[in-house]
Amino acid sequence: LLHRKEIYDYQGRSFLHDPLRDSDLPSFIPKKTLHTYTGHNKGVQCIRWFPPHGHLLLSGGLDGKVKLWDVCAQRDVIQTYIGHAKAVKDLCFSNDGARFVSAGFDRF
């Protein structure tokens, strides 16, 4: 399920494009909660950052869904992947970030 109207921004870039790649913004360790992400119906089992830039986040939930999140711009869910009957156990991106694989508890 795609949660956005368009998969490209006004410059024709995909959401996979790193918005901070061309920026000189400093990195910092937050001292307080900056944002709380909501979207899974149950708890979250695993979280993986998008390689190599970390501007996207992949979460696997106990509700059997995998969600792709934008952590830089809109801080919302971009897409939801449905396919597990039970909880998602683990996630892994390919090295270039073009694909990911999910493992679940539904095949025991």
Side-chain angles (χ1 to χ4, degrees):
L1 302 172
L2 185 64
H3 295 273
R4 297 203 173 166
K5 293 179 183 175
E6 300 290 330
I7 60 170
Y8 300 103
D9 67 2
Y10 67 96
Q11 293 180 338
R13 299 177 299 194
S14 164
F15 57 81
L16 296 176
H17 177 79
D18 178 20
L20 299 177
R21 179 174 34 186
D22 305 325
S23 173
D24 292 330
L25 294 174
S27 297
F28 64 94
I29 298 173
K31 306 280 190 275
K32 62 180 180 175
T33 302
L34 299 177
H35 185 73
T36 300
Y37 294 90
T38 58
H40 285 282
N41 297 330
K42 297 182 179 177
V44 174
Q45 176 74 18
C46 56
I47 295 173
R48 299 290 178 258
W49 292 100
F50 182 78
H53 305 292
H55 67 289
L56 299 175
L57 184 90
L58 199 61
S59 64
L62 298 175
D63 56 3
K65 296 176 185 172
V66 175
K67 293 185 180 277
L68 183 66
W69 302 86
D70 177 5
V71 296
C72 286
Q74 297 178 6
R75 295 183 177 174
D76 63 351
V77 64
I78 295 172
Q79 195 161 0
T80 300
Y81 301 92
I82 302 169
H84 289 284
K86 295 187 180 176
V88 177
K89 183 176 182 180
D90 201 3
L91 301 165
C92 185
F93 273 110
S94 61
N95 289 338
D96 62 354
R99 295 178 203 88
F100 72 87
V101 64
S102 64
F105 290 102
D106 50 353
R107 298 289 180 194
F108 286 123

